[in-house]
Amino acid sequence: MDFAFSEEQEMLRASARELMNDRYPPERVAAIADGGGFDREEWPAIAGLGWIGISVPEEQGGAGLGFLEELVIVEELGRALYPGPFLSTVVLGLEALRLGRAEELISDILSGKRIATVGWAGEDGRFDVDPAPKVSWDDERLSGVKLFVPDIGVSDLLVIVGGTAQGAGLWTVDRDAEGVTWRELPTVDGTRRQGEVTLREARATALHIDGPASLERLRDRALAALAAEAVGLGSRAIELALDHTRTREQFGKPIGAFQAVAHQLAQAFLEVETARSLCYWAGWAVAEGTPEASTAAAAAKARAAEAAVAACERAIQTHGGIGFTWEHPLHRYYKRALGIAATFGWGDSLRARVAADLLDPP
Amino acid sequence: MDFAFSEEQEMLRASARELMNDRYPPERVAAIADGGGFDREEWPAIAGLGWIGISVPEEQGGAGLGFLEELVIVEELGRALYPGPFLSTVVLGLEALRLGRAEELISDILSGKRIATVGWAGEDGRFDVDPAPKVSWDDERLSGVKLFVPDIGVSDLLVIVGGTAQGAGLWTVDRDAEGVTWRELPTVDGTRRQGEVTLREARATALHIDGPASLERLRDRALAALAAEAVGLGSRAIELALDHTRTREQFGKPIGAFQAVAHQLAQAFLEVETARSLCYWAGWAVAEGTPEASTAAAAAKARAAEAAVAACERAIQTHGGIGFTWEHPLHRYYKRALGIAATFGWGDSLRARVAADLLDPP
Amino acid sequence: MDFRDTAEEARFRSALRRWLQENLPEGWGSPGYQEPEGEARVEFYRDWSRRLYEAGYVGLHWPKRYGGHEAPLTFQAILLEEVGRAEAPEHIGVIGLGMAGPTILARGTEEQKERFLRKILTGEEVWCQGFSEPGAGSDLASLQTKAVQTDGGFVVTGQKVWSSFAHIADWSILVARSDDSGDKHAGLTYFLMDMHAPGVEVRPLRQITGDAEFNEIFMDSVKIPADRVVGEVGDGWSVAITTLMNERANLGFALTSRLDVAFRKLVTLAKATGTNGTRAADDPLVRDRLASLWTDVQALRFTNYRAFSSFLRTGVPGPEGSVAKLFWSETNQRLTKTALQIEGAFAMLGTGSDRAVEGGRWQNLQLRSRGNTIEAGTSEILRNIIAERVLGLPKSR
Amino acid sequence: MDFRDTAEEARFRSALRRWLQENLPEGWGSPGYQEPEGEARVEFYRDWSRRLYEAGYVGLHWPKRYGGHEAPLTFQAILLEEVGRAEAPEHIGVIGLGMAGPTILARGTEEQKERFLRKILTGEEVWCQGFSEPGAGSDLASLQTKAVQTDGGFVVTGQKVWSSFAHIADWSILVARSDDSGDKHAGLTYFLMDMHAPGVEVRPLRQITGDAEFNEIFMDSVKIPADRVVGEVGDGWSVAITTLMNERANLGFALTSRLDVAFRKLVTLAKATGTNGTRAADDPLVRDRLASLWTDVQALRFTNYRAFSSFLRTGVPGPEGSVAKLFWSETNQRLTKTALQIEGAFAMLGTGSDRAVEGGRWQNLQLRSRGNTIEAGTSEILRNIIAERVLGLPKSR
């Protein structure tokens, strides 16, 4: 039993944090979020760090580390509200290509040459692994509508997830191919833009996957990564509130000396730290492919998103008026936290799945 | 529009409070709860006050006031944890007899000569108004099991509520009649004992009622009265906590000067006061028989019970260790609050009914 | 205790309801309706306020000599309820009607009453509020805006923040420090400041939703004549408390009424939205939450009524308003959050998206709701008020 | 990071699991099983403790010279988990193992270690705790029990409260005021008091459940020799902190493990109980709550693990234990409340009723759970500790 990160993992975390502090300080993130969005040209620099293939074996051109290391990076990106396509390309896209053994595309992704994103939810907005047809596929051409496709504006390649009359599938299609139309949807969270894709008999390539199990693995990775983002940003929101409440004075003392303020932050800390514990457990379980991975990932995402949302709310509250302004960075943390809560299922629906795993085992 | 109690109602409240302070101070209630229970001999004194028939028209031998006045008394009884059969005899039993126009029995109840209680829940513990057969009735003899029959130890008369194959019904049967066996069940709340009744072809009298509507009226009265009890005892628990936290010193000042303590009690106050508002509204609606009476009574009981339970929990917490002892009166408030929450449906099931009224109107 | 209208109240209510139905601005409330922008928007609201006034629906309980009607206070409650219920536009004088006016009525000179009150009612003059400062939020008494006494008046310099309507206001109620030698509460004075006076500058403050509902007011040597002081010089703290109590007392009915409307829209949303293959309105978890929210709204309504009754008896708004404000703010936060949960992934889409549910309005309302526990007394301050002034616990500061 | 046992840990765990299976007292855990009462009960637990000791399962990480095994700390964690999981009887030396022993190990003299430690492990001597007083709960440093220095020792007079095991204890750790001239923290001294000494009287304290788990200890001129002081005279506050930190650190695994057992029983209850005509386990609201509670239990488990890792690195229990204790207490309260809700009206029936669900055990557990947020540091104090010592916020007192 060993529940601590290794020295190497801690070093990875430190370097990721440093890089984010350096290149994506809050002002920079604000400019990207409020402006035109992430600049595609900045992506290859991430490839240069070896982060893209962090959990890909060395013989496939990756760094040969694991999903836990990937999560360490994701947590730090979440902490900084990194506005680039890491979740879409690395956590989801690359893994989908690996599940489908699309070697050539994998190497394009690893080099930073191409950016992939994943179209999962259909027009009902659900991120399910179920057999209900979501797209139609005639062995050559793919049709359907996908919503909430992250980072579509900077992506080259789309991985489409869906059930068809023939079963669950994954396809790749170029974003700008014939038969594909796409647009960005105005999102509340400017740091993670979501897109809409419409496929009308677009020529696509089916990936050969292991049926629903592959989709479940993709989903579990997404859930664990979203949990890690939430933990990262939730911690950061608490730190902002601590900085503020240690120095802001009212009634002749720092407001952090009032229990009404201090205990809110203690509670936020408790919630984020216990969610962090779940998140690391889920990450380990997904990395190792243990039987509880799916349940753990669902529970961790549900809890971490709720903890992050609540932490941001408490941070806004303890900031008072200033936390309610656009100029203060807090609102972006809050909007990302809400976005995390809303994607891949709100707490209710994830807990329904947890309950099914617990109460109705197959 | 007038949302205040009248001067007469306030006087009634004051006299009820005085009487309870006088005759049922906490030591007395403790002795009754921990000892043999309520002494039947004390009941006629209540009759002497005119409280039994408070909402019965003067021409029927009552005080000619209304259900709101009855609730004022019930709230004060709840505040004192009065351990006598008011809820069973007055709120439920007497009203059942009135719905069934059982004149002779009514006058025995009004005079304090007889005490009635109501057997509602069957072996499943549910207090429903539904057509599912709960008892069997062959136009002469009644059979079935009733649980959670309050104050059975001091009652003479049982009113049995139930669905039969022929529909909803109310019957009267003497507690000690042939074919009736009964016993007290050990309850957590010693101030309101619950009984079990088994009827084996007991000779009973059917009351002629207005079908399920009569049962609904009985239930709504019970819900509103339980809400009033909860509000009364919740307020009292907060007062106990205020008395304690104003005087108990730790770290050199009264603990009520710490926001961690004070804000818990402010929150308890908010919850009980908002529940009180619902309770009076529900009481008025039940008194007037307005269309929203059932929904209001269910919402009020759900909220008031939860507020009372939480108020007691906060009172225990702010008392520290002493609030956790048997010698301190608080635990009896808490146990009554939990008992109120558990009878006639926990919050979940009441809210399910509220939701049905709101979302699926007939 | 009778929750029904008296015959007189019922007549007033139905006449008002009919008037609103017949007089709401054209297209108001219809799906594609766009409110006018900029100057036209001010004119629109000013015009609507004038019409409300002319119909006799403004200043119901104010004295007749200042343009009011001396009607029972219950009529005012009915007015607020019905305007909320109809989702009618607000009178432009929100601050004047709810804060400045009641304060002038209670503490102003006869000259001030004559000068200001009627124009608040007619909408001719718009008011804003200058209380909070960047360094003085919850601890209002620590404010730093200086008022230096000169011949015939004061010269005011400083900064105020969180002032709604300041960008269109003609007048501001203002608290400033006229004496910083003693106790921080003692040296404050309450002013009526001309927003068109030289030295007053207003800058919009963009908030979490992206809108700029509030403003900053910068004052650089602004002259205020002596007869624009309310109460005594140095007595500004007690006058400010009068204002804040009135603010909370007046908010109750209007806010609850709007919350009731929001609840009904939430039910509509739940019925229109599918999650997990069924209507959200059929999901037992959503149903439980809706039942609980409905219970909250009713509890708030009748808590307002009860506070109102005590107001009717005493004539002075009491600390009970703090309970209602606190409960309202948290209920509104829960309600709007529930809407996002019902929307599922669509909760991510905001204003400007044709895929957004109801044009992204719930996203806006939800974000806006986070301010509810900060503005008009933070929840922490309100809990202090309840603990100390209602429950009699010792002071925590 | 690896959540699995190492090969060595797995061997230890499976041997322990087997040992427990084979050695649990006869009938233990079976439905009708009745624990012995009175003196026989003490003998029963003492005997069980001895057997645990002889099997090598007590004092795993303590030094061998005092009867321990110098095994890795992870073994101790596994022990606590497995004993909890098996619902085995507790070692009678709960206070000795978790509080007195670690304190003596950290701060005691060699003579004290030799004299006391082994007998804690064997169960030969039972310990209790004398910290809280009627006037000193959260504010422990304000305690009033007096220790007057005399030739060769101290004479102690005063009253302690909330002492579990005191009625059967041989020894008590005790903090008393040896000097009341200066700062209230400075004048405290930490003692090991013989509970059989003249002047010690123990009275049971009946609690909310009706049981008497705790006691009051009255001390009337009790003589304590000088060599029964732990640490320096006047340094009792820092020794007491050592005890309290160890208490929280040791609680974690055992409590979580028991909570996990309780959760599984709750699931059984939900599957066995019908509400609204279906199994409670099919009710979406119950399912949501169960999923949430399961999440709580897992979160607690891995939070303990993480705190444990930091303990392993530093060798000293840190303030992280406060997070786990706080979270555990509230989870246990939610869990037991959920059981009552599942029971429906049967929640009203307590111990002694054949109609009660599972003999009324959930009622007892639920009432008992209200003490969890008071004992071993109130939630308010723990939030202070987190705010001040973990988050670095200024002191609130």
Side-chain angles (χ1 to χ4, degrees), chain B residues 106-158:
Chain B
I106 290 173
S107 85
D108 279 2
I109 300 291
L110 285 177
S111 68
K113 198 175 125 193
R114 300 236 265 176
I115 294 176
T117 185
V118 168
W120 193 308
E123 286 186 282
D124 62 359
R126 292 166 61 201
F127 291 79
D128 294 328
V129 176
D130 72 16
K134 295 268 176 60
V135 291
S136 72
W137 169 244
D138 66 359
D139 282 337
E140 274 199 343
R141 289 166 190 279
L142 194 65
S143 296
V145 174
K146 290 288 167 188
L147 295 183
F148 307 111
V149 187
D151 306 312
I152 195 162
V154 294
S155 298
D156 313 284
L157 188 70
L158 307 175

Side-chain angles (χ1 to χ4, degrees), chain C residues 107-219:
Chain C
R107 310 288 297 264
T109 62
E110 190 50 41
E111 188 271 338
Q112 289 168 344
K113 294 179 190 174
E114 293 283 352
R115 166 65 188 82
F116 293 111
L117 293 176
R118 187 180 300 264
K119 290 187 175 176
I120 288 173
L121 299 180
T122 59
E124 251 171 291
E125 289 184 345
V126 175
W127 284 73
C128 69
Q129 185 243 89
F131 280 24
S132 296
E133 298 183 5
S138 289
D139 184 11
L140 183 59
S142 71
L143 57 84
Q144 294 300 324
T145 292
K146 291 270 180 306
V148 179
Q149 199 149 9
T150 58
D151 285 356
F154 291 80
V155 174
V156 172
T157 299
Q159 182 187 350
K160 295 290 178 179
V161 73
W162 301 116
S163 184
S164 47
F165 297 95
H167 58 302
I168 59 164
D170 304 294
W171 290 92
S172 174
I173 47 176
L174 183 88
V175 187
R177 183 164 305 285
S178 51
D179 177 2
D180 54 10
S181 62
D183 172 75
K184 66 180 184 174
H185 293 79
L188 303 179
T189 298
Y190 194 109
F191 299 96
L192 310 176
M193 179 176 75
D194 182 350
M195 290 294 284
H196 305 298
V200 176
E201 195 196 331
V202 174
R203 289 186 210 152
L205 194 57
R206 197 171 173 208
Q207 71 206 35
I208 191 168
T209 55
D211 301 331
E213 183 183 340
F214 299 99
N215 304 275
E216 294 177 292
I217 308 176
F218 296 85
M219 290 150 295

Side-chain angles (χ1 to χ4, degrees), chain B residues 31-78:
Chain B
I32 293 169
D34 297 358
F38 184 74
D39 181 352
R40 203 200 175 302
E41 298 307 309
E42 295 183 28
W43 183 247
I46 296 287
L49 296 166
W51 289 0
I52 296 180
I54 184 111
S55 68
V56 174
E58 288 182 60
E59 59 273 24
Q60 289 179 31
L65 299 172
F67 183 57
L68 261 179
E69 283 79 7
E70 194 170 313
L71 274 195
V72 166
I73 293 173
V74 168
E75 185 185 330
E76 293 304 317
L77 299 184

